[in-house]
Amino acid sequence: MEIIRASFTLVVFVLNMVRITLSVENEVLYLDYYKETCPLAEEIVSRNVEIAVLKDPRMAASLLRLHFHDCFVMGCDASILLDNHGDIISEKQAGPNLNSVRGFKVIDEIKYILEEACPLTVSCADILAMVARDAVALRGGPRWKVWLGRRDSMKASLDGANQFIPAPNSSLETLISNFNEQGLDIEDLVALSGGHTLGKARCVSFRQRVYDINMEEKRDKYKRYRTFRRILRSICPDSGRDDAIAPLDFSTPAKFDNHYYINILEGNGLLGSDNVLVTEDHEGEIIKLVWAFAANEELFFSSFAKSIVKMGNINVLTGLEGEIRKNCRFVNP
C-alpha cells in the first residue's frame, strides 16, 4: 500500500509540474504588466497618441481600426504591422486594408521611443491595444483598463485578412458569422460597430450603399433618406473618385459618442454594414440594442469598453509564444 501511495503521490506531483509548465507557457494577460520592466510604457504611448491626434484628428479612428483589423486575423498579435519581407506577404495588401488602414508611422514612432527606454520589452501587439484605448479617450469616449502581456506574431496572413475582416457591404448574417468566428456575440457586434462614430470612409466603400436600388425602395418612405443619399452622391459619383471620403458619422464626426446609433435608426449610416443592423434584424434583438445605445450613451460606453477588452483577448500569444519585435514592421533576425 505504501508503494502504491508513494507512486500515486509521484504521479500527482508530475501532473502538477506539467500544469505549472503549461501555465507559464500560456500565461494570461495582466494589468500593470510593465510596472517593473518598463514603468513608463503606458505614459509614453498616451503622450505620443495625443501628439498624433492633435496633428491629425482623424488619426484617432485610424488607430482604433488598426487594433480591430489586427485582432480579426489570427488574433491580437500585431500581424497587421508586418511589411513584405522574405516569406511574409503583408496583410496591408489585403482588400480591407489596402489604401485604407493608416497610422503605421505613429506606431513606428512609439515603438522607437519604447525601444530606447526598454529594449525588447513592450510588444507591438500591446502597443496596438494601448493606442486604441488612448485614441478613443482623446475623442471623448470611454477609457478602459488594458490587459497586457501579448507577444508578437512571426507571420502574417493575407488570406486571413481578406476572409475575416468584415467588408463595408456585409449582410447582417455575414457580420454575425464574422464576429462569432472570433468568439464575439451579438452585443459585441453592436457595441463595436459604434466605433464608426469616428473616422471617414472612401467612396469605394459606400458607393454600393448609395446606388443600391433595393436600398432606395426600402428607405424612400421619408424624404430625409433621399436627402442623405443626395449628399452622398454629391461626394461619391457612380464611377470615379474612389478615394473621395465622407465621415462615418455626419452628426458629430470628430467626437466619440452614441450618435452613430441615432444615425442608423434614421437610415443615415454611411456603410451598408451599418444600416443592416436595423434593416436586416428580423428577430428584433439587435434593434433593441441599437435603441438602447442611442438612448443611453453611458450604456454604450460601458458596453464598448467591455467588448473591446474581450476582442483584445482573441487568440493572444503569451509566455514563450511569438516574440517581442524590435521593429514592428519586421520579425527579429
Side-chain angles (χ1 to χ4, degrees), residues 262-305:
I262 298 169
N263 293 339
I264 63 175
L265 286 170
E266 294 178 344
N268 291 342
L270 181 65
L271 305 179
S273 58
D274 294 327
N275 293 295
V276 296
L277 295 180
V278 172
T279 62
E280 296 183 10
D281 178 33
H282 306 303
E283 296 182 6
E285 185 179 353
I286 289 174
I287 292 178
K288 286 180 182 177
L289 286 169
V290 171
W291 274 106
F293 292 157
N296 188 334
E297 187 173 79
E298 188 176 330
L299 175 63
F300 162 51
F301 280 9
S302 64
S303 295
F304 183 87

Side-chain angles (χ1 to χ4, degrees), residues 25-27 151-152 154 316-324:
E25 292 179 352
N26 297 279
E27 45 185 307
R151 288 170 66 84
D152 300 323
M154 299 171 70
V316 294
L317 302 176
T318 58
L320 303 179
E321 301 170 309
E323 65 178 7
I324 305 297

Side-chain angles (χ1 to χ4, degrees), residues 19 59 68 70 95 98 101 147 153 157 176 190 208 213 220 267 271 286 313:
R19 289 193 189 99
M59 187 56 66
F68 183 93
D70 179 47
L98 187 63
V101 290
W147 295 76
S153 172
S157 177
I176 291 172
V190 181
Q208 181 177 329
I213 295 175
D220 271 353
L271 305 179
I286 289 174
N313 281 270

